[in-house]
């Protein structure tokens, strides 16, 4: 915008932040889809990686275009070190975070609630296990701070999975109460050696805040993905076709159980192929009658 337009906005919103009042539309043209997906990856590389392809299938009268795009998180394993399938089935996890596959078909409202409550409890247990795993790794990295530890650093790390998957962790409520974690260490190792590490709750709050910063950015990201294909869309996959636009509802949390896939196929009618075919038929028919006419004259 011009300086005059900017000054005008500042006058209108004199007591507010002008950038918050501006909706900016950006457009960029790419030579191919690989360049486009690489650009997207660079823009949000701390959140996810994008890969895309566009295949063209010539069928004489028609040309089909198939566009495929995959968005995959680059941070999930770092944020959540414990595999999700140790707590919930792959289908249940996918349904919870993406809505697919639909596991509620044929269930009553009460049955749906019972199923969702069970999945939610398991997802919560998984989240707690991942959090304890991250805390456990931090203790191990700073093991020299532990005075008179009950086990060696090597033994401590070898027992990590036993602690993380213990019943005490499954029933944990981490929010604002790091002392519960201290008690888990104390009860498991039958020692107070680790208790001093948890005396400063601010330290652990800051650790978890940093650890889950990218996760928060991921789950709050909910753009609507819109695609315009050449010709007419004949298969939008999981997307919804509105006019000539295919819309995919996307959110960062959909990347937690598995990558997010977009698949769209469109068809372009090759008008020239119909014209050529028509001309060939006309010529063939014309040649037939001309030959027949000549043969008839020759016989005479």
């Amino acid at each position: 915008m011009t300086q005059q337009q900017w000054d005008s906005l500042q006058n209108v919103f004199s007591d507010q932040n002008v950038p918050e009042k501006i909706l900016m539309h950006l457009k960029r043209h790419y030579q191919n889809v690989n360049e486009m997906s690489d650009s997207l990856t660079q823009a949000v590389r701390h959140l996810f990686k994008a890969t895309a392809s566009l295949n063209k299938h010539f069928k004489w009268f028609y040309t089909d275009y198939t566009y495929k795009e995959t968005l995959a998180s680059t941070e999930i394993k770092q944020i959540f070190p414990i595999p999700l399938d140790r707590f919930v089935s792959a289908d249940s996890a996918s349904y919870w975070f993406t809505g697919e596959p639909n596991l509620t078909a044929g269930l009553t409202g009460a049955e749906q609630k019972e199923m969702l409550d069970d999945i939610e409890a398991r997802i919560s247990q998984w989240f707690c296990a991942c959090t304890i795993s991250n805390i456990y790794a931090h203790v191990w990295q700073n093991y020299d701070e532990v005075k008179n530890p009950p086990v060696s650093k090597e033994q401590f790390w070898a027992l990590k999975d036993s602690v993380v998957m213990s019943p005490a962790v499954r029933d944990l409520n981490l929010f604002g109460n790091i002392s519960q974690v201290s008690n888990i260490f104390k009860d498991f190792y039958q020692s107070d050696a680790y208790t001093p590490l948890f005396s400063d709750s601010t330290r652990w709050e800051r650790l978890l805040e940093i650890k889950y910063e990218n996760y928060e950015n991921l789950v709050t990201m909910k753009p609507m993905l819109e695609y315009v294909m050449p010709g007419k869309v004949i298969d939008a996959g999981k997307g919804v076709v509105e006019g000539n636009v295919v819309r995919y509802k996307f959110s960062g949390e959909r990347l937690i159980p598995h990558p997010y896939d977009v698949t769209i196929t469109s068809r372009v009618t090759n008008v020239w192929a119909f014209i050529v075919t028509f001309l060939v038929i006309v010529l063939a028919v014309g040649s037939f009658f001309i030959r027949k006419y000549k043969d008839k004259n020759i016989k005479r």
Side-chain angles (χ1 to χ4, degrees), residues 117-274:
D117 286 346
D118 179 65
I119 296 177
E120 182 181 29
R122 294 176 181 273
I123 295 294
S124 179
Q125 292 171 355
W126 166 72
F127 189 87
C128 285
C130 290
T131 302
I132 295 299
S133 179
N134 290 325
I135 292 175
Y136 199 100
H138 187 78
V139 173
W140 178 77
Q141 292 169 357
N142 297 274
Y143 208 70
D144 56 343
E145 295 182 25
V146 182
K147 307 301 181 183
N148 301 317
V151 295
S152 66
K153 185 176 182 179
E154 292 72 19
Q155 290 175 311
F156 180 79
W157 187 252
L159 292 168
K160 173 177 175 287
D161 192 68
S162 298
V163 175
V164 169
M165 298 300 293
S166 66
V169 172
R170 291 174 179 254
D171 298 329
L172 191 61
N173 181 7
L174 280 174
F175 297 103
N177 195 355
I178 198 67
S179 63
Q180 294 181 72
V181 181
S182 177
N183 291 334
I184 289 175
F185 278 75
K186 179 180 178 180
D187 293 342
F188 186 88
Y189 289 102
Q190 295 295 299
S191 171
D192 291 322
Y194 305 102
T195 302
L197 293 177
F198 299 99
S199 59
D200 183 7
S201 61
T202 304
R203 170 186 181 178
W204 298 103
E205 289 173 1
R206 180 56 181 161
L207 168 71
L208 296 177
E209 180 182 342
I210 295 173
K211 191 69 179 179
Y212 290 115
E213 182 178 8
N214 282 345
Y215 168 69
E216 292 178 0
N217 292 335
L218 196 66
V219 298
T220 55
M221 182 181 61
K222 299 182 179 181
M224 179 67 73
L225 303 180
E226 299 181 342
Y227 303 87
V228 177
M229 296 287 291
K232 182 180 180 181
V233 175
I234 58 176
D235 185 357
K238 298 177 183 178
V240 177
V241 181
E242 297 181 9
N244 66 334
V245 178
V246 179
R247 291 185 171 87
Y248 271 74
K249 188 175 182 180
F250 173 74
S251 61
E253 63 184 0
R254 284 172 163 79
L255 301 179
I256 293 177
H258 50 67
Y260 185 85
D261 294 320
V262 171
T263 302
I264 306 171
T265 300
S266 66
R267 175 168 291 175
V268 173
T269 301
N270 297 326
V271 177
W272 61 266
F274 283 92

Side-chain angles (χ1 to χ4, degrees), residues 39-54:
S39 176
L40 179 60
T41 297
Q42 292 172 11
V44 291
R45 58 184 176 273
H46 63 293
L47 295 179
F48 62 82
K49 175 179 175 60
T51 55
S53 64
L54 180 65

Side-chain angles (χ1 to χ4, degrees), residues 8-32:
S8 177
L9 284 173
Q10 284 188 315
N11 292 331
V12 174
F13 304 106
S14 58
D15 58 342
Q16 299 179 51
N17 187 8
V18 174
E20 293 181 354
K21 303 299 177 181
I22 299 174
L23 178 61
M24 183 178 294
H25 294 269
L26 304 177
K27 178 185 289 187
R28 180 177 175 183
H29 292 277
Y30 300 95
Q31 296 298 318
N32 51 63

Side-chain angles (χ1 to χ4, degrees), residues 76-77 80-94 97 122-123 125-127 129-130 165 170 256-258:
I76 292 299
K77 290 184 178 180
F80 302 114
I82 306 300
L84 187 53
D85 59 11
R86 297 186 69 178
F87 290 84
V88 66
S89 70
D91 282 349
S92 295
S94 181
F97 290 106
R122 294 176 181 273
I123 295 294
Q125 292 171 355
W126 166 72
F127 189 87
C130 290
M165 298 300 293
R170 291 174 179 254
I256 293 177
H258 50 67

